[in-house]
Amino acid sequence: MILDGKALSKKILEKIKVEVSKLSNKPHLAVILVGDDPASQVYVRNKKKTAEEIGILSTVIELPYETSEDVVINKIKELNANKEITAILVQMPLPKHINKDNVICAIDPNKDVDCFTPENVGKLAIGMEPRFNPVTPQGVLMLLDYYKVPIEGKHAVIIGRSNIVGKPMAQMLLQRNATVTICHSKTENLEEKIKAADIVISAAGKKIVRCKMVKYKATFVDVGISRDTNGKLTGDLNWIPDFNNFNEVSEYFEFVSPVPGGVGPMTIASLMLNTLASSQDMGILSIRRDSFF
C-alpha cells in the first residue's frame, strides 16, 4: 500500500484550518531566511503559502547573505520578545560564516516549532514532553499511524543520524516501544541490517537503497530528497534495478512512501500543527495527532 502523504496532509490541514478559525488570537509564524539559496527560497515560499491558506499569520524576514551572526541573533531576540509572534523558524542551511548552533540556542523554546533548541531536544531525549515534536519525525509517525502500520515491538532501521530526522526519529520510535537501529555512512554490513528490519526509514539524501535490500513485505518510509541527472525529484529508494515501475514496488512492500508525495507534505502539515499549538498554552502532545486524521 502507498503511504500517501499528499492526501493525508490535505486532511490534516483542513482540520487545522477549522481549529485556527475558532481562535481569537491567531498563531503567527515568523521565518528568517538568510541568503539567496534557491531551494531555501522555495521551501520558505511553500511554508508561507500553506500557512496563509489555513488562516495562520506568516511573516518572512529576508536577510542578505553577508548578514552577521549577531544581527541574526538580535532579530531572533526581537521575535522572542514580540508577543504577537507565536512561532519562530530559521531556515537552514545558514551561510558558512554563521554558527547555526548559536542561532538555534537563541530561539525561545516556547516558540521553537522545529524542535531544534537544546531544551526541547533534551526533553525528547530523556522521555519528557517537549514543547513541540520535531516536524519530519512527527510527520512520519502520523503517516504510519493513519495507515495503521504496527510499531510496538517491531524492528525499525533508520538510515541517517542527523539532528533533524535520524536522531529524533529514533527517540520517538523508542517511545512507541520499537526496537531501533541507526545506520550511517560508517555502518558496516548495511544491507544485512536493513534486511532485518520490519520498518526502514531512510533519510540519507542519496539513492542508496535497492528494493531487494529490504525484506519482502516490510515497510519503507523514504525521507530522502535529491534530484536525478534529469533534474527529477527522487528519494533514497533506487527501485529501477529490481522493478519496472512503482506499482511493482508497492506490491513488494507492505507499505511504501513515494517521493514526491510522501513525507514531504507531511512535514509541512506537521509544522502547521506545531504552529497551531504555539498559539495555545500547551505542548503539541496535548493536541492529539490522531484527532487530525
Side-chain angles (χ1 to χ4, degrees):
M1 184 178 287
I2 303 295
L3 298 171
D4 190 342
K6 186 175 181 180
L8 177 56
S9 67
K10 184 178 179 180
K11 289 184 179 182
I12 294 170
L13 291 172
E14 286 172 353
K15 294 205 74 172
I16 293 174
K17 184 176 182 178
V18 171
E19 294 301 315
V20 170
S21 69
K22 299 174 184 176
L23 299 174
S24 54
N25 296 318
K26 305 298 183 188
H28 191 157
L29 173 65
V31 181
I32 297 177
L33 174 62
V34 186
D36 54 3
D37 178 73
S40 293
Q41 290 177 330
V42 171
Y43 294 149
V44 169
R45 191 159 56 243
N46 288 342
K47 290 168 184 173
K48 181 176 177 61
K49 180 174 180 287
T50 302
E52 291 174 346
E53 286 175 349
I54 60 176
I56 289 176
L57 302 175
S58 178
T59 298
V60 176
I61 300 161
E62 297 186 54
L63 301 172
Y65 180 89
E66 60 273 13
T67 302
S68 70
E69 182 180 309
D70 285 344
V71 168
V72 176
I73 289 175
N74 285 334
K75 177 57 66 175
I76 291 171
K77 289 179 178 177
E78 288 178 20
L79 297 172
N80 287 342
N82 186 340
K83 293 183 178 180
E84 293 184 1
I85 301 295
T86 64
I88 300 171
L89 184 156
V90 179
Q91 183 64 44
M92 300 293 172
L94 289 166
K96 292 182 179 179
H97 65 274
I98 297 176
N99 186 313
K100 67 179 179 62
D101 293 335
N102 292 339
V103 169
I104 289 169
C105 287
I107 300 171
D108 181 347
N110 290 315
K111 299 186 179 186
D112 170 34
V113 284
D114 261 337
C115 189
F116 282 172
T117 59
E119 179 175 325
N120 284 326
V121 172
K123 285 181 175 180
L124 180 66
I126 63 173
M128 291 178 65
E129 181 180 332
R131 180 68 172 90
F132 307 100
N133 278 326
V135 292
T136 299
Q138 177 170 252
V140 170
L141 282 182
M142 287 194 290
L143 199 55
L144 294 177
D145 287 343
Y146 180 74
Y147 283 94
K148 296 180 171 54
V149 178
I151 296 174
E152 184 168 345
K154 300 301 181 181
H155 181 197
V157 167
I158 300 168
I159 305 172
R161 53 180 169 177
S162 73
N163 292 332
I164 297 173
V165 181
K167 291 177 184 176
M169 189 81 254
Q171 294 292 344
M172 294 175 76
L173 286 169
L174 284 170
Q175 290 178 8
R176 297 286 297 274
N177 297 316
T179 299
V180 180
T181 300
I182 298 181
C183 299
H184 47 78
S185 60
K186 305 300 181 185
T187 298
E188 297 180 353
N189 304 316
L190 176 63
E191 184 170 348
E192 178 183 311
K193 291 175 173 60
I194 293 173
K195 202 76 174 179
D198 303 302
I199 301 170
V200 179
I201 300 172
S202 187
K206 297 179 181 178
K207 224 170 178 62
I208 62 169
V209 183
R210 287 178 46 239
C211 289
K212 292 187 178 178
M213 290 171 65
V214 184
K215 75 179 180 182
Y216 180 62
K217 291 302 178 184
T219 292
F220 188 87
V221 183
D222 201 337
V223 186
I225 297 178
S226 57
R227 293 191 181 274
D228 62 18
T229 54
N230 298 317
K232 184 180 178 182
L233 200 65
T234 186
D236 289 353
L237 189 63
N238 187 13
W239 51 266
I240 294 175
D242 298 323
F243 298 106
N244 296 313
N245 55 59
F246 202 73
N247 286 335
E248 293 180 4
V249 174
S250 63
E251 290 174 4
Y252 179 80
F253 291 104
E254 186 74 18
F255 298 93
V256 60
S257 70
V259 176
V263 175
M266 292 302 300
T267 296
I268 294 287
S270 180
L271 173 64
M272 295 303 127
L273 189 56
N274 281 1
T275 304
L276 169 63
S278 74
S279 68
Q280 304 173 48
D281 188 21
M282 61 178 67
I284 191 61
L285 296 184
S286 299
I287 296 179
R288 289 173 55 84
R289 286 190 295 264
D290 56 9
S291 69
F292 282 82
F293 298 156

